[in-house]
Amino acid sequence: MTMPSDLDISRSTTLKPLEEIAGELGIGAHLLEPYGRHVAKIPLEALSELPAEPRAKYVVVTAITPTPLGEGKTTTTVGLGQALRHLGQRSAIAIRQPSMGPTFGIKGGAAGGGYSQVVPMESLNLHLTGDMHAVTAAHNLLAAVVDNHLHKGNKLGIDPHRVTWRRVLDVNDRDLRNVITGLGTRADGQPRQSGFDITAASEVMAVLALSTSLHDMRARLGRIVVGYTRSGSPVTAEELGVAGAMTVIMREAIKPNLMQTTENTPVLVHAGPFGNIAHGNSSIVADQIATRAADIVVTEAGFGADMGAERFFNIKCRNSGLAPDAAVLVATVRALKAHSGRYKVVAGKPLPERLLAENPEDVLAGAANLRKQIENIRLHGVSPVVAINAFPTDHPSEHEAIREFAEAEGARVAVSNHFGEGGKGALDLAEAVLEAAKEPRLFRPLYPDEMDLRTKIETVATQVYGAAGVSFQPAAARALADYEACGFGRLPVCIAKTHLSLSSDPALVGAPTGWTLPVREVRASAGAGFVYPICGDMRTMPGLGSSPAAEHIDIDAHGQVVGLS
């Protein structure tokens, strides 16, 4: 029998009134601000009406190093949250908001899939409540004020060649990566080279995700560094006098969005920071609300455990004060086979036929990546649970190979069929997670605040990525010294590297050793509160493929969206 499309499943779901969904969490209807019938914002005043201290078990979902096709972390997050509800737990789910760039590009939407998705999927993937647009507007207001300041006399002495604040847009558009602004007459501004990033890569988005209150967001926006004077002093949004106006634009965006799953489990959708140059996790305020309202909260960290989970542990938890009780490590047969180095997986193209054939040996040939990611979770004192995200093309012998390998590494393991069966298909996973969450909480960050930036980078590179060492280009070494002098030395680090390998080279699969992490540049996100070294060529404005999803999305004769995936 052919399984219905995600969009058909979403539309066939019987949705409950959001007042009922919120009521399950002890959130009164007076605390909901409806955006249509199926989405509502939760004002931060809810925190004063909920218990003062977090009471929920706190679980993060991460993964082995993914293939370009992704391995189903969001679907697993949703399926696990639904399964926990089947076991009598009052569960809540917290995820990021999708960017419309990938939605109309290669990836498609990010609502989960099958019978484990957030609904309505059209609402989630398209605009939602306008948070993305608020981030775009606040970011670009600051960019406009910077250029206006240069045009109107430049009282702060900003070096036009050291302006670091670009513009953003929530689309994939490679032609905007590098632009010249201010062309035309003298009244049209001062010409200089700049460019656009995607909105998810904006530091304003990272600020939104890491803020703990409206006033904390106001302070963080003020600390954003837009460039440097000729003498090397940083210039902030506060000095330009625009942080207050940015906060006003973001005033509604800081409120988390409430939705539900195909099984009516509560979902808080909030913020969508980029997973490469930012920390790739949903918001702290959503988790603050959820952990005070539910028995167990399941949240998702972007990319593999070396990326999103490392940043969840060392950036998000450091800011929130919340400590995880367990971590789910999503693994798939196809991804482990890809890590054997015997197959090439390309985004937008069918999987190689040989990769779909039964072959446990290929699975084990790529299992070094699974071993390292289990180790990366344990480095932070968190108990790992390996979730084998099952696909119809898998074979029982391949699942058994993963189970035996992971159990030998000391991890709990469960096969999960949440995509096709919803929460019932993830019951074994939910039981394993509850067992792991009962263990004594031993969470610890990887490094202390007082460690210098260079050593923090080396610690992540060698202990999490498995690098033999780190090489710093002269420009990167100078930037690190400058940031220490500017008082940024206590900030955590967010290393920007490829998500397709534990290393900085996307072609190196498995768990490579003996390589050196090349740091060519270091930038500061002083408002968000981290320093990010850049290792390799990071694209902060994606491009469109030869057949983008936008070509297949339309409305039908009844005005319904079609082609969204």
Side-chain angles (χ1 to χ4, degrees), residues 139-154:
H139 182 113
N140 291 339
L141 173 63
L142 180 54
V145 168
V146 170
D147 283 323
N148 186 62
H149 187 87
L150 294 173
H151 182 67
K152 295 293 186 180
N154 195 8

Side-chain angles (χ1 to χ4, degrees), residues 3 6 63-64 66-76 112-114 330-337 345 351 355-357 387-399 402 414-421 425:
M3 186 167 171
D6 290 350
I64 63 172
T67 68
L69 303 179
E71 303 312 316
K73 284 195 308 300
T74 304
T75 310
T76 303
V330 179
T332 62
V333 167
R334 69 183 191 183
L336 288 172
K337 286 183 176 180
V345 178
L351 292 169
L355 185 142
L356 302 178
I388 304 173
N389 182 19
F391 283 74
T393 53
D394 297 348
H395 302 273
S397 62
E398 296 169 333
H399 289 170
I402 298 172
V415 177
S416 190
N417 292 289
H418 47 272
F419 183 89
E421 300 176 21

Side-chain angles (χ1 to χ4, degrees), residues 314-331:
N314 294 301
I315 298 177
K316 186 177 181 181
C317 290
R318 195 184 298 265
N319 280 271
S320 71
L322 298 173
D325 295 282
V328 175
L329 186 65
V330 179

Side-chain angles (χ1 to χ4, degrees), residues 483-532:
Y483 293 151
E484 295 277 359
C486 289
F488 301 155
R490 292 180 62 85
L491 297 179
V493 295
C494 182
I495 300 176
K497 73 169 187 71
T498 179
H499 62 285
L500 297 174
S501 173
L502 278 162
S503 74
S504 57
D505 182 352
L508 295 180
V509 296
T513 58
W515 58 278
T516 300
L517 181 73
V519 179
R520 63 175 177 82
E521 184 182 353
V522 183
R523 299 177 187 174
S525 287
F530 54 76
V531 170
Y532 63 100

Side-chain angles (χ1 to χ4, degrees), residues 259-400:
M259 298 185 72
Q260 59 190 291
T261 74
T262 45
E263 296 182 6
N264 312 118
T265 304
V267 184
L268 279 76
V269 182
H270 200 213
F274 218 48
N276 277 347
I277 67 164
H279 63 294
N281 283 260
S282 58
S283 78
I284 285 175
V285 291
D287 288 2
Q288 286 176 328
I289 291 171
T291 53
R292 296 185 194 186
D295 297 326
I296 186 163
V297 174
V298 184
T299 189
E300 176 192 355
F303 295 140
D306 57 307
M307 300 282 285
E310 184 273 314
R311 295 160 185 182
F312 172 85
F313 296 139
N314 294 301
I315 298 177
K316 186 177 181 181
C317 290
R318 195 184 298 265
N319 280 271
S320 71
L322 298 173
D325 295 282
V328 175
L329 186 65
V330 179
T332 62
V333 167
R334 69 183 191 183
L336 288 172
K337 286 183 176 180
H339 280 292
S340 70
R342 299 168 184 174
Y343 305 94
K344 185 177 181 180
V345 178
V346 180
K349 294 187 178 181
L351 292 169
E353 287 188 17
R354 287 194 310 115
L355 185 142
L356 302 178
E358 183 174 8
N359 195 332
E361 291 183 3
D362 279 359
V363 172
L364 293 175
N369 187 273
L370 175 59
R371 176 190 291 118
K372 186 68 183 78
Q373 301 290 28
I374 291 172
E375 177 187 316
N376 287 340
I377 292 170
R378 290 198 180 281
L379 276 174
H380 297 88
V382 180
S383 182
V385 178
V386 173
I388 304 173
N389 182 19
F391 283 74
T393 53
D394 297 348
H395 302 273
S397 62
E398 296 169 333
H399 289 170
E400 189 58 30

Side-chain angles (χ1 to χ4, degrees), residues 24-67:
E24 290 189 20
L25 299 176
I27 297 172
H30 65 288
L31 290 170
L32 296 183
E33 299 177 1
Y35 277 70
R37 288 183 294 173
H38 305 305
V39 183
K41 277 194 169 293
I42 304 175
L44 302 194
E45 286 78 10
L47 289 168
S48 63
E49 297 192 19
L50 292 168
E53 295 295 327
R55 64 184 181 189
K57 294 292 185 181
Y58 191 37
V59 178
V60 61
V61 176
T62 182
I64 63 172
T65 302
T67 68

Side-chain angles (χ1 to χ4, degrees), residues 20 62 70 72 112 116 150 158 169 172 201 205 249 259 299 306 321 339 363 406 408 442 445 461 467 523 529 544:
E20 188 175 335
T62 182
S116 293
L150 294 173
I158 302 171
L169 201 61
N172 287 5
M205 179 65 83
I249 293 174
M259 298 185 72
T299 189
D306 57 307
H339 280 292
V363 172
L442 301 173
R523 299 177 187 174
L544 293 172

